[in-house]
Amino acid sequence: IAMADSGDVELERSSLSGCQAAGNGGGISIRQSGAFALTNSSSIADCSAGANGGGIAMADSGDVELERSSLSGCQAAGNGGGISIRQSGAFALTNSSSIADCSAGANGGGIAMADSG
């Protein structure tokens, strides 16, 4: 999923698996958009990115929230194997959410944040 210049997005009771991107955001790439939420037993698994954010890459956007959801087995050649957040709002991992078995070639196997809230 790639989003640019859009409003808030919520994925509820959803799953993404085995997704790949040559650039940023193997599962989801969000640029210059509103807030993003992954909620109610949603999952992103085994996704990869050739740059940043194996599961989710978010840049110049709003807040990121994972609620009762999981990221697992995601990989990025750059930063943020699970999630890469750059120049965005706050990040919240709530209500038994998890990030597991993610890896990055540079910084933040699970989460990499830069210039963010």
Side-chain angles (χ1 to χ4, degrees):
I1 298 172
M3 297 176 288
D5 303 317
S6 61
D8 296 346
V9 174
E10 179 178 359
L11 294 178
E12 182 177 4
R13 294 183 188 98
S14 303
S15 64
L16 296 172
S17 180
C19 304
Q20 299 178 350
N24 296 319
I28 300 170
S29 175
I30 304 167
R31 186 177 47 83
Q32 296 177 335
S33 297
F36 174 74
L38 188 68
T39 65
N40 294 325
S41 301
S42 292
S43 67
I44 297 176
D46 303 318
C47 294
S48 63
N52 302 312
I56 301 168
M58 195 153 174
D60 304 317
S61 298
D63 297 341
V64 179
E65 179 181 12
L66 271 67
E67 179 187 14
R68 287 186 290 256
S69 296
S70 66
L71 282 174
S72 63
C74 296
Q75 301 176 0
N79 298 315
I83 303 173
S84 172
I85 304 170
R86 186 178 53 83
Q87 296 178 333
S88 295
F91 172 74
L93 186 68
T94 64
N95 295 329
S96 300
S97 292
S98 65
I99 297 174
D101 301 320
C102 295
S103 62
N107 301 303
I111 303 167
M113 289 184 75
D115 302 321
S116 297

